[in-house]
Amino acid sequence: MKKTNAKLVNYNKYGWFFISFALAAFCVFTIYPAVYSIWLSFQTFDAGEFHFSGLDNIKRMLGDKVFLKSLKNTFFFVVIQIPIMKVLALYLATLLNKTKLKGKGFFRTCTFLPCVTSLVAYSVLFKMMFSQSGIVNQALMNLGVLDEPFQWLQDAGWARGIIIVALTWRWTGYDVIFFLAAMANIPAETYEAAQIDGAGGWNIFWKITLPQLKPIILLTMIMSTNGTLQLFDEPMNITAGGPMNATLTMSQYIYNQSFVYSPNLGYAATLSYVIVFIMIILAIIQFKVTGGDET
């Protein structure tokens, strides 16, 4: 018995030794920055040093029209782009899950392929496509739809639309893979029984497939919401937040406060925690609305 206990003690020592490196890295690169950012959020940078400012950063935020504009823009992408992407992903997953579909592996690969492209590379590509001399204007002019190049990225509505198209192209395949994995776990006998009972394709999807996809839909909704609230690469590289801050997002504004404008890391930290709190609130709402606590 004593020998067994001694072995367990040795195993525990070895275990702590091997995880100590990952634990140290986690503390240095995750815990410390998080705690330090909380301290920063109560500071202002003046005369080359930080000064405690209490709630001044919060007061400034509430009166910051540019930040409120970025908040509005971010929620616009959350409300418009995410539902479009989810519906499209469900439709594509349903098609790709059909047993009689030929070349299923090829089509699944093509659907997921955009997800492995570089964020910066594909953003720059969309910017080039919709530039004044881009392929979109050239094609429309050749077809006689336009008489002269249209400045897509200088129009607020079209600029938002282009970013939504870019996001949908880049991330829909990611959701498709999740939905396909969940569909694979639905027993085939369930579909066969429904077909014998005379259920049509829509009824089968609505009453069998969709309810069993509920947990994975909730997961992807939370992931997509968190990702869109932190949206940065696409508006930064496609429109640079323009025109007139029409596509400026919260993450981009935080970046500007930290590195572009006169650096104000304390204010930027305060704005960062706004995103954190919004993420938490929206996640709770999504759980409540979908009944995630019952799944």
Side-chain angles (χ1 to χ4, degrees), residues 62-193:
L62 296 176
D64 190 341
K65 294 183 180 180
V66 179
F67 171 72
L68 296 177
K69 176 72 172 177
S70 71
L71 180 64
K72 179 181 176 181
N73 293 337
T74 303
F75 269 94
F76 173 83
F77 292 121
V78 170
V79 173
I80 302 298
Q81 191 270 330
I82 292 179
I84 292 175
M85 184 173 66
K86 298 305 172 187
V87 172
L88 181 59
L90 280 170
Y91 177 71
L92 291 175
T94 303
L95 291 179
L96 294 173
N97 194 50
K98 292 183 178 296
T99 54
K100 297 181 180 180
L101 179 65
K102 296 182 179 179
K104 190 181 299 184
F106 171 76
F107 290 116
R108 289 183 177 184
T109 302
C110 291
T111 303
F112 185 72
L113 199 58
C115 299
V116 300
T117 58
S118 165
L119 289 172
V120 175
Y122 103 91
S123 299
V124 173
L125 181 61
F126 267 85
K127 181 179 181 179
M128 294 171 61
M129 289 171 55
F130 288 93
S131 66
Q132 193 168 356
S133 59
I135 189 174
V136 175
N137 274 330
Q138 295 296 327
L140 293 177
M141 290 171 64
N142 291 334
L143 292 172
V145 178
L146 295 177
D147 296 326
E148 59 183 17
F150 182 73
Q151 295 185 351
W152 302 94
L153 302 179
Q154 301 304 316
D155 181 274
W158 282 109
R160 294 192 192 102
I162 290 168
I163 291 177
I164 289 174
V165 171
L167 289 170
T168 304
W169 178 84
R170 174 64 167 75
W171 293 108
T172 299
Y174 193 74
D175 285 343
V176 170
I177 296 301
F178 276 94
F179 294 152
L180 284 173
M183 289 178 179
N185 292 323
I186 300 176
E189 295 80 4
T190 307
Y191 291 115
E192 294 172 359

Side-chain angles (χ1 to χ4, degrees), residues 192-214:
E192 294 172 359
Q195 291 172 350
I196 293 174
D197 290 339
W202 174 252
N203 285 330
I204 290 175
F205 172 78
W206 189 255
K207 295 182 179 180
I208 297 177
T209 305
L210 196 60
Q212 298 195 58
L213 292 180
K214 185 178 176 182

Side-chain angles (χ1 to χ4, degrees), residues 2 19 24 45 51 57-59 73 83 96 105 113 138 150 163 216 229 231-233 237-238 240 243 248 272 281:
K2 291 182 178 180
I19 70 170
F45 190 74
H51 303 277
N57 286 328
I58 296 177
K59 294 177 182 178
N73 293 337
L96 294 173
L113 199 58
Q138 295 296 327
F150 182 73
I163 291 177
I216 203 68
L229 287 174
L231 184 61
F232 176 81
D233 294 89
N237 292 292
I238 297 176
L248 181 71
S272 299
I281 293 171

Side-chain angles (χ1 to χ4, degrees), residues 218 222 225-226 276-293:
L218 174 61
I222 293 175
T225 301
N226 291 348
V276 174
F277 289 131
I278 292 175
M279 286 180 181
I280 295 173
I281 293 171
L282 290 181
I284 294 173
I285 293 174
Q286 288 170 340
F287 265 101
K288 294 296 183 182
V289 170
T290 61
D293 52 343

